[in-house]
Amino acid sequence: MPEAFEFVDVLSSIKTPQSVNDKKQHKDDQFISHGSQEEIEKVCEGIKQKQVFTPEECEKIEHHIDIVAENAEQGLYKTHTVDSAPLRMKYFFGEGYTYGTQMRRKGPGQEKLYEKGEIDAIPDWIYKLVVKRLEDEKLIPKNWITSAVINDYRPGGCIVSHVDPRHIFDRPIVSVSFYSKSALSFGCRFSFKPIRVSNPVVCLPMQRGCATSISGYAADKITHCIRPQDVTSRRAVIILRRTLENAPRVGDPDPPHDLSYSNHFLNHSDNRKRQRLSLDSSTHHHNGRDRHGHNDAVEPVKRRRKSDSYSSHHMEKKRLSVSNSQDKVKKDDGHKDSSDLKTSQNIIAKKATRRPKPFFL
């Protein structure tokens, strides 16, 4: 663990397959970064890490997080303060925003803050025990924070790849980890049923009591996530952000859907873009969630259907076949009685109206 109150050399803390192969295997080997050296350096330029809290201070903060969870179970918070998901609870304080299924219009750029008063205020203990320390350590400016979110994960919990809405939150985005060690992964792709996650460009270890600040490329041009395999025991993170003064709120007119915003982080590497587009063309639907952490942000590529030209050609062959069969029946009319002829014509007509099976089944 880094010495208390010292900035971490982020780049040197990143492990790659090459660096691990040269060293003795150990329990941290799952935190492996698979991006090119150029990509890794570009992401790490926007990351700051500092070991801020001692184990004793972590215990005190974790006690308050336990109380928040108990208050939520007792229904003591406003409706939009608490958001539950399998293996993950989210508690908004100060400001909260719509995302995923809560959005009337889907996709990145469509998120909105809730109206004032619909979210509980930031608790005093967050200001006294967490925010003040980060201000003292020069990780955030004084009186800068307007939003505090607690994500409380159970083993196997996760948050899919996303970019924090740029039209809502200022940069940097600062988070502090509690209860146990985990990792923040950048540039992953999620698929579902069963859930699977691709190798990350950067997998950043996050120690208990360590504060992480992301901005620049790391915050805006590449997605980040928490992978389920990196949450092996209970883990909580307090995310501290500042909302923009002109951020849209529920009730405001819908902003136009900005496709450039939806796709801006696809271009962090031509190679990564090709891999992602290739994945899109072969991936099935996965519960309506996209790789950006939002529902339906990018329409999944549908399986190609039979073209009209194919269908017309196939039906024309059927029609000619029926016509030839009818001619044959007429020629053999002298050898069959009228009832046999009628039965044959009925069978042929039935076959002609039957829809051909799709060629891809």
Side-chain angles (χ1 to χ4, degrees):
M1 179 180 292
E3 191 174 337
F5 312 132
E6 291 294 328
F7 277 104
V8 177
D9 186 349
V10 175
L11 194 58
S12 66
S13 70
I14 300 301
K15 298 181 178 68
T16 62
Q18 293 77 17
S19 64
V20 170
N21 289 338
D22 294 338
K23 298 178 181 179
K24 184 178 179 180
Q25 297 293 311
H26 49 79
K27 64 180 181 180
D28 293 338
D29 281 359
Q30 73 268 24
F31 299 153
I32 305 298
S33 300
H34 294 266
S36 67
Q37 186 63 30
E38 181 183 0
E39 286 179 306
I40 293 173
E41 291 178 358
K42 193 180 294 185
V43 174
C44 289
E45 283 177 2
I47 300 175
K48 293 181 181 179
Q49 269 195 332
K50 202 172 192 180
Q51 190 65 32
V52 175
F53 299 100
T54 65
E56 294 74 22
E57 290 171 328
C58 286
E59 288 183 7
K60 189 173 183 179
I61 294 170
E62 289 161 3
H63 173 69
H64 284 284
I65 295 175
D66 290 339
I67 293 175
V68 169
E70 292 173 4
N71 290 342
E73 288 182 0
Q74 297 173 17
L76 301 181
Y77 293 127
K78 297 177 180 179
T79 301
H80 296 304
T81 296
V82 182
D83 178 50
S84 61
L87 304 180
R88 190 270 296 153
M89 295 293 293
K90 184 185 286 284
Y91 309 104
F92 290 100
F93 295 106
E95 294 280 13
Y97 68 100
T98 61
Y99 65 99
T101 57
Q102 303 163 0
M103 296 161 59
R104 191 174 69 85
R105 290 179 64 185
K106 302 295 190 290
Q110 306 302 312
E111 301 91 346
K112 293 183 178 182
L113 293 172
Y114 285 111
E115 294 180 355
K116 290 283 189 180
E118 293 193 6
I119 301 292
D120 285 271
I122 298 176
D124 288 340
W125 66 266
I126 291 183
Y127 281 118
K128 293 177 181 179
L129 300 180
V130 183
V131 174
K132 187 178 185 307
R133 174 64 60 80
L134 296 181
E135 290 175 345
D136 293 342
E137 294 299 319
K138 310 300 183 184
L139 283 165
I140 55 175
K142 289 187 178 296
N143 303 317
W144 190 75
I145 296 300
T146 59
S147 170
V149 179
I150 301 175
N151 286 340
D152 191 354
Y153 302 90
R154 300 298 172 179
C158 68
I159 284 187
V160 298
S161 296
H162 65 282
V163 169
D164 289 37
R166 295 182 300 168
H167 63 291
I168 290 181
F169 296 111
D170 201 351
R171 278 22 178 180
I173 299 156
V174 181
S175 61
V176 190
S177 295
F178 296 100
Y179 291 106
S180 65
K181 179 181 180 179
S182 185
L184 183 66
S185 293
F186 294 84
C188 290
R189 301 182 302 277
F190 275 67
S191 56
F192 299 85
K193 293 185 177 182
I195 188 168
R196 299 183 302 277
V197 188
S198 68
N199 289 330
V201 173
V202 170
C203 187
L204 179 70
M206 302 179 75
Q207 304 282 356
R208 181 190 184 204
C210 180
T212 302
S213 169
I214 65 173
S215 59
Y217 187 90
D220 297 334
K221 301 297 184 180
I222 188 170
T223 60
H224 59 271
C225 69
I226 301 295
R227 301 185 301 171
Q229 60 264 44
D230 295 333
V231 183
T232 56
S233 59
R234 186 185 180 187
R235 185 246 179 180
V237 59
I238 299 178
I239 305 170
L240 302 169
R241 295 176 287 203
R242 180 177 182 82
T243 53
L244 299 172
E245 293 182 1
N246 61 347
R249 292 189 179 275
V250 173
D252 294 346
D254 288 326
H257 188 78
D258 187 354
L259 293 179
S260 63
Y261 180 88
S262 302
N263 297 321
H264 74 278
F265 44 78
L266 297 181
N267 300 318
H268 63 85
S269 164
D270 288 342
N271 184 43
R272 287 276 162 186
K273 181 178 179 181
R274 285 194 295 270
Q275 291 176 356
R276 188 162 296 179
L277 292 175
S278 175
L279 180 75
D280 284 346
S281 64
S282 59
T283 301
H284 298 293
H285 293 285
H286 39 73
N287 269 347
R289 290 191 176 187
D290 67 82
R291 58 182 178 276
H292 313 313
H294 302 281
N295 290 353
D296 302 329
V298 177
E299 287 292 332
V301 177
K302 298 180 180 179
R303 182 178 289 178
R304 182 178 296 175
R305 293 182 178 179
K306 185 187 304 181
S307 66
D308 292 340
S309 60
Y310 175 87
S311 178
S312 300
H313 176 69
H314 193 81
M315 293 305 296
E316 178 65 16
K317 288 177 64 178
K318 279 286 185 181
R319 189 188 65 77
L320 292 174
S321 177
V322 169
S323 178
N324 292 336
S325 299
Q326 289 175 338
D327 291 342
K328 184 177 180 181
V329 169
K330 290 179 180 179
K331 290 179 181 179
D332 296 337
D333 190 32
H335 304 286
K336 296 183 180 181
D337 58 26
S338 59
S339 61
D340 290 340
L341 177 60
K342 185 176 182 180
T343 301
S344 299
Q345 290 175 336
N346 288 338
I347 293 174
I348 291 170
K350 186 176 181 180
K351 287 183 177 181
T353 58
R354 187 180 300 166
R355 296 181 61 183
K357 292 183 178 180
F359 70 94
F360 52 79
L361 291 182

